[in-house]
mmCIF file of all heavy atoms in Angstrom:
data_model
loop_
_atom_site.group_PDB
_atom_site.id
_atom_site.type_symbol
_atom_site.label_atom_id
_atom_site.label_comp_id
_atom_site.label_asym_id
_atom_site.label_seq_id
_atom_site.Cartn_x
_atom_site.Cartn_y
_atom_site.Cartn_z
ATOM 1 N N VAL A 127 3.497 -7.794 8.410
ATOM 2 C CA VAL A 127 3.487 -6.353 8.142
ATOM 3 C C VAL A 127 4.561 -5.643 8.960
ATOM 4 O O VAL A 127 5.042 -4.566 8.566
ATOM 5 C CB VAL A 127 2.101 -5.748 8.433
ATOM 6 C CG1 VAL A 127 1.058 -6.364 7.519
ATOM 7 C CG2 VAL A 127 1.700 -5.919 9.893
ATOM 8 N N ARG A 130 7.555 -6.014 6.773
ATOM 9 C CA ARG A 130 7.404 -5.182 5.573
ATOM 10 C C ARG A 130 7.004 -3.745 5.921
ATOM 11 O O ARG A 130 6.352 -3.074 5.132
ATOM 12 C CB ARG A 130 6.337 -5.782 4.655
ATOM 13 C CG ARG A 130 6.831 -6.964 3.847
ATOM 14 C CD ARG A 130 5.741 -7.436 2.907
ATOM 15 N NE ARG A 130 5.328 -6.401 1.972
ATOM 16 C CZ ARG A 130 5.823 -6.246 0.743
ATOM 17 N NH1 ARG A 130 6.775 -7.055 0.310
ATOM 18 N NH2 ARG A 130 5.359 -5.302 -0.054
ATOM 19 N N GLN A 131 7.412 -3.281 7.053
ATOM 20 C CA GLN A 131 7.028 -1.930 7.482
ATOM 21 C C GLN A 131 7.461 -0.898 6.442
ATOM 22 O O GLN A 131 8.608 -0.852 6.019
ATOM 23 C CB GLN A 131 7.664 -1.603 8.837
ATOM 24 C CG GLN A 131 7.220 -0.276 9.414
ATOM 25 C CD GLN A 131 7.783 -0.055 10.812
ATOM 26 O OE1 GLN A 131 8.559 -0.856 11.306
ATOM 27 N NE2 GLN A 131 7.386 1.027 11.456
ATOM 28 N N GLY A 132 6.511 -0.069 6.030
ATOM 29 C CA GLY A 132 6.784 0.957 5.035
ATOM 30 C C GLY A 132 6.643 0.484 3.607
ATOM 31 O O GLY A 132 6.728 1.287 2.674
ATOM 32 N N GLN A 133 6.441 -0.822 3.396
ATOM 33 C CA GLN A 133 6.252 -1.368 2.057
ATOM 34 C C GLN A 133 4.773 -1.707 1.864
ATOM 35 O O GLN A 133 4.133 -2.217 2.782
ATOM 36 C CB GLN A 133 7.116 -2.615 1.860
ATOM 37 C CG GLN A 133 8.603 -2.335 2.019
ATOM 38 C CD GLN A 133 9.440 -3.592 1.893
ATOM 39 O OE1 GLN A 133 8.895 -4.688 1.766
ATOM 40 N NE2 GLN A 133 10.747 -3.446 1.931
ATOM 41 N N VAL A 135 1.175 -3.054 1.499
ATOM 42 C CA VAL A 135 0.485 -4.313 1.760
ATOM 43 C C VAL A 135 -1.013 -4.059 1.636
ATOM 44 O O VAL A 135 -1.524 -3.055 2.144
ATOM 45 C CB VAL A 135 0.802 -4.871 3.162
ATOM 46 C CG1 VAL A 135 0.023 -6.162 3.419
ATOM 47 C CG2 VAL A 135 2.296 -5.115 3.326
ATOM 48 N N ARG A 152 1.122 1.793 2.573
ATOM 49 C CA ARG A 152 2.392 1.755 3.300
ATOM 50 C C ARG A 152 2.186 1.832 4.809
ATOM 51 O O ARG A 152 3.120 1.577 5.562
ATOM 52 C CB ARG A 152 3.308 2.893 2.833
ATOM 53 C CG ARG A 152 3.714 2.755 1.369
ATOM 54 C CD ARG A 152 4.663 3.861 0.955
ATOM 55 N NE ARG A 152 4.979 3.755 -0.460
ATOM 56 C CZ ARG A 152 5.934 2.973 -0.972
ATOM 57 N NH1 ARG A 152 6.657 2.230 -0.154
ATOM 58 N NH2 ARG A 152 6.162 2.938 -2.268
ATOM 59 N N ASP A 153 0.996 2.179 5.222
ATOM 60 C CA ASP A 153 0.674 2.197 6.648
ATOM 61 C C ASP A 153 0.330 0.772 7.068
ATOM 62 O O ASP A 153 -0.839 0.397 7.210
ATOM 63 C CB ASP A 153 -0.494 3.148 6.915
ATOM 64 C CG ASP A 153 -0.774 3.322 8.401
ATOM 65 O OD1 ASP A 153 -0.017 2.749 9.226
ATOM 66 O OD2 ASP A 153 -1.748 4.015 8.741
ATOM 67 N N THR A 154 1.364 -0.042 7.235
ATOM 68 C CA THR A 154 1.142 -1.470 7.466
ATOM 69 C C THR A 154 0.470 -1.756 8.809
ATOM 70 O O THR A 154 -0.161 -2.809 8.968
ATOM 71 C CB THR A 154 2.474 -2.226 7.388
ATOM 72 O OG1 THR A 154 3.426 -1.611 8.290
ATOM 73 C CG2 THR A 154 3.044 -2.177 5.976
ATOM 74 N N SER A 155 0.569 -0.855 9.766
ATOM 75 C CA SER A 155 -0.061 -1.102 11.061
ATOM 76 C C SER A 155 -1.574 -1.223 10.935
ATOM 77 O O SER A 155 -2.207 -2.024 11.633
ATOM 78 C CB SER A 155 0.304 0.019 12.043
ATOM 79 O OG SER A 155 -0.167 1.275 11.562
ATOM 80 N N ILE A 156 -2.155 -0.446 10.033
ATOM 81 C CA ILE A 156 -3.607 -0.505 9.870
ATOM 82 C C ILE A 156 -4.033 -1.825 9.217
ATOM 83 O O ILE A 156 -5.151 -2.311 9.453
ATOM 84 C CB ILE A 156 -4.114 0.695 9.043
ATOM 85 C CG1 ILE A 156 -5.642 0.817 9.161
ATOM 86 C CG2 ILE A 156 -3.722 0.570 7.590
ATOM 87 C CD1 ILE A 156 -6.192 2.066 8.529
ATOM 88 N N VAL A 157 -3.140 -2.444 8.437
ATOM 89 C CA VAL A 157 -3.452 -3.743 7.846
ATOM 90 C C VAL A 157 -3.605 -4.779 8.952
ATOM 91 O O VAL A 157 -4.545 -5.591 8.942
ATOM 92 C CB VAL A 157 -2.355 -4.164 6.854
ATOM 93 C CG1 VAL A 157 -2.653 -5.549 6.288
ATOM 94 C CG2 VAL A 157 -2.230 -3.148 5.730
ATOM 95 N N ALA A 158 -2.688 -4.766 9.929
ATOM 96 C CA ALA A 158 -2.784 -5.700 11.052
ATOM 97 C C ALA A 158 -4.038 -5.443 11.874
ATOM 98 O O ALA A 158 -4.702 -6.387 12.334
ATOM 99 C CB ALA A 158 -1.531 -5.595 11.920
#
Side-chain angles (χ1 to χ4, degrees):
V127 298
R130 282 184 60 94
Q131 185 175 4
Q133 300 177 356
V135 178
R152 296 182 183 276
D153 186 3
T154 53
S155 61
I156 194 172
V157 177

